[in-house]
Amino acid sequence: MRYRHPDGSTVHLAYCTNVHPAETLDGVLAQLRDHCEPVRRRLGRDRLGIGLWLARDAAHALVTDPSALRGLRTELEHRGLEVVTLNGFPYEGFGAEEVKYRVYQPDWADPERLAHTTDLARVLAQLLPDDVTEGSISTLPLAWRTAYDQERATAAHTALTTLAERLDALDELTGRSLRIGLEPEPGCTVETTRDALVLLTAIGHDRIGICVDTCHLATSFEDPHTALDALAQARVPIVKSQLSAALHAEHPHLPEVRAALAAFDEPRFLHQTRTLTAAGLRGTDDLGEALAGDALPDASPWRAHFHVPLHAAPAAPLTSTLPVLRAALTRLVGGPHPLTHHLEVETYTWQALPPELRPRARAQLVDGIAAELTLARDLLTDLGLKELP
């Protein structure tokens, strides 16, 4: 979905396909048929943007077989879909019964991460629509914080520099300008936008920027205007933004609130939980750890890294951080010029919701994704952007 900003530039809105498990190219093609095209039809649009997630095997198959890559592009066009951004964070196994810490492997100190992201860039350069010359790929923020020493930090920085050089060469070869966005996430070595600012200023290459995930921003209790203003002033590229909302509990000391939170403590994904105290930010690696005893102070609100569907905040006594998303979007695209041109709705936790909230059929998931995109569309048009055909 494309929108015209008042300054005349185009802002792209997509939804991320990591909500649909697929490890192979055949699985990706099935996603397009079974989910992406039905979402487009549900919205009544001739064209729908998708943020493709390509697992290692799927990406490798595409980069080593030009005919397969041409076939994917043809399939996208046939189904009225377009791709300007990829989600390069999960490497493989994102649809497994337990993902947890595995999503951070391999990290940027491992050669496999550089090789995979290079593959993604080569694929994206060929998938971009004919009238689009700029693409984006989001990636993990270097590594999970443990087992990350100076030696691994040096290796990660070297890998990013190498990637930037490869993207420069790809631009010269194809005329497609691609950028990578590190996605700050609680618990990682780059946890906040401030961490990203320090790192990216040191790297100093305009191919390497930040992907602002508004769920992660909210979970870390960052003020969106302060964070985004700091990035803009430092001229750190905001490569893309993932529009998402975290789980919010205003009174976590109450038994009924803890009971409601416990329903979101599930075994597949890691749900880092944070609270802001007078002494600073405190947190746990997972929601279950926070709920067990006194691991996390409960005199102030808690927020958990659980991507709540944008249009459907959980029932009281819980809510979502949708107001943080609204504030961030106002700063991202509501000013005289957009800070980013790539927006992606990323709710991958539909099947991890409490059982009574999960979609029970494919059509229900399609309806839910369409409802999220409709909400995002309304937020954009309220900011003065015009939806394009």
Side-chain angles (χ1 to χ4, degrees):
M1 299 165 74
R2 300 187 185 190
Y3 296 82
R4 182 73 68 205
H5 189 274
D7 75 348
S9 64
T10 300
V11 173
H12 295 266
L13 173 66
Y15 91 87
C16 186
T17 64
N18 62 354
V19 63
H20 312 305
E23 299 289 321
T24 65
L25 179 55
D26 285 344
V28 171
L29 295 173
Q31 288 177 352
L32 306 184
R33 179 194 67 227
D34 296 339
H35 300 285
C36 302
E37 185 179 10
V39 170
R40 178 184 65 77
R41 293 184 180 278
R42 177 68 177 80
L43 290 167
R45 305 294 302 164
D46 293 331
R47 173 173 53 191
L48 176 68
I50 58 171
L52 269 182
W53 172 58
L54 297 172
R56 178 198 62 178
D57 289 349
H60 186 69
L62 289 167
V63 84
T64 56
D65 185 350
S67 65
L69 185 50
R70 289 193 298 270
L72 175 58
R73 182 183 173 100
T74 299
E75 191 72 5
L76 288 166
E77 293 171 351
H78 171 68
R79 299 193 182 280
L81 307 169
E82 68 176 12
V83 176
V84 303
T85 187
L86 300 180
N87 186 335
F89 197 131
Y91 179 73
E92 61 184 351
F94 199 61
E97 292 184 3
E98 182 177 335
V99 178
K100 297 292 184 180
Y101 295 96
R102 290 193 299 164
V103 75
Y104 308 104
Q105 300 171 354
D107 65 36
W108 272 101
D110 298 317
E112 294 86 355
R113 177 60 64 173
L114 173 60
H116 175 60
T117 310
T118 301
D119 285 350
L120 293 178
R122 291 171 177 162
V123 169
L124 181 57
Q126 299 302 318
L127 292 183
L128 287 177
D130 290 338
D131 61 344
V132 175
T133 59
E134 296 184 353
S136 61
I137 304 172
S138 50
T139 188
L140 79 162
L142 296 188
W144 186 253
R145 69 183 185 279
T146 56
Y148 190 75
D149 55 19
Q150 186 55 50
E151 181 179 356
R152 293 187 67 78
T154 299
H157 295 184
T158 300
L160 287 172
T161 300
T162 299
L163 177 66
E165 294 169 351
R166 291 177 180 178
L167 295 179
D168 283 341
L170 191 62
D171 192 350
E172 292 183 11
L173 180 65
T174 66
R176 302 300 178 90
S177 178
L178 306 184
R179 295 188 297 176
I180 303 297
L182 301 179
E183 184 183 328
E185 177 169 316
C188 293
T189 58
V190 178
E191 181 163 349
T192 65
T193 54
R194 183 181 302 172
D195 297 335
L197 193 155
V198 172
L199 172 66
L200 296 172
T201 300
I203 292 176
H205 199 297
D206 63 4
R207 296 283 182 191
I208 313 296
I210 185 173
C211 169
V212 176
D213 184 302
T214 57
C215 171
H216 303 173
L217 191 79
T219 301
S220 294
F221 285 86
E222 292 194 72
D223 175 73
H225 289 284
T226 300
L228 297 173
D229 284 349
L231 294 172
Q233 290 167 10
R235 297 187 177 181
V236 169
I238 302 177
V239 172
K240 67 188 279 189
S241 180
Q242 289 174 325
L243 308 183
S244 52
L247 189 64
H248 179 95
E250 187 68 17
H251 303 292
H253 65 285
L254 297 176
E256 61 269 27
V257 174
R258 285 181 173 253
L261 284 170
F264 287 84
D265 178 27
E266 54 82 37
R268 178 176 293 181
F269 300 112
L270 205 61
H271 301 296
Q272 303 94 309
T273 305
R274 298 289 184 268
T275 187
L276 190 59
T277 71
L281 198 65
R282 295 280 302 277
T284 60
D285 283 359
D286 213 346
L287 179 56
E289 182 184 351
L291 291 169
D294 57 357
L296 195 63
D298 61 7
S300 300
W302 286 3
R303 289 177 179 173
H305 173 218
F306 194 116
H307 288 225
V308 178
L310 301 187
H311 67 292
L318 304 178
T319 186
S320 80
T321 59
L322 185 62
V324 175
L325 185 159
R326 292 177 185 271
L329 198 58
T330 298
R331 185 66 184 91
L332 286 166
V333 299
H337 303 287
L339 299 183
T340 184
H341 290 87
H342 291 178
L343 304 173
E344 180 182 68
V345 171
E346 196 210 14
T347 305
Y348 57 82
T349 46
W350 279 94
Q351 298 301 338
L353 290 167
E356 68 275 11
L357 301 179
R358 296 174 192 170
R360 292 181 172 82
R362 186 182 298 166
Q364 288 180 304
L365 178 58
V366 167
D367 288 346
I369 293 169
E372 289 195 286
L373 287 167
T374 298
L375 184 145
R377 177 200 65 194
D378 293 345
L379 293 177
L380 292 174
T381 55
D382 286 348
L383 290 172
L385 282 73
K386 180 181 179 182
E387 188 173 11
L388 299 176

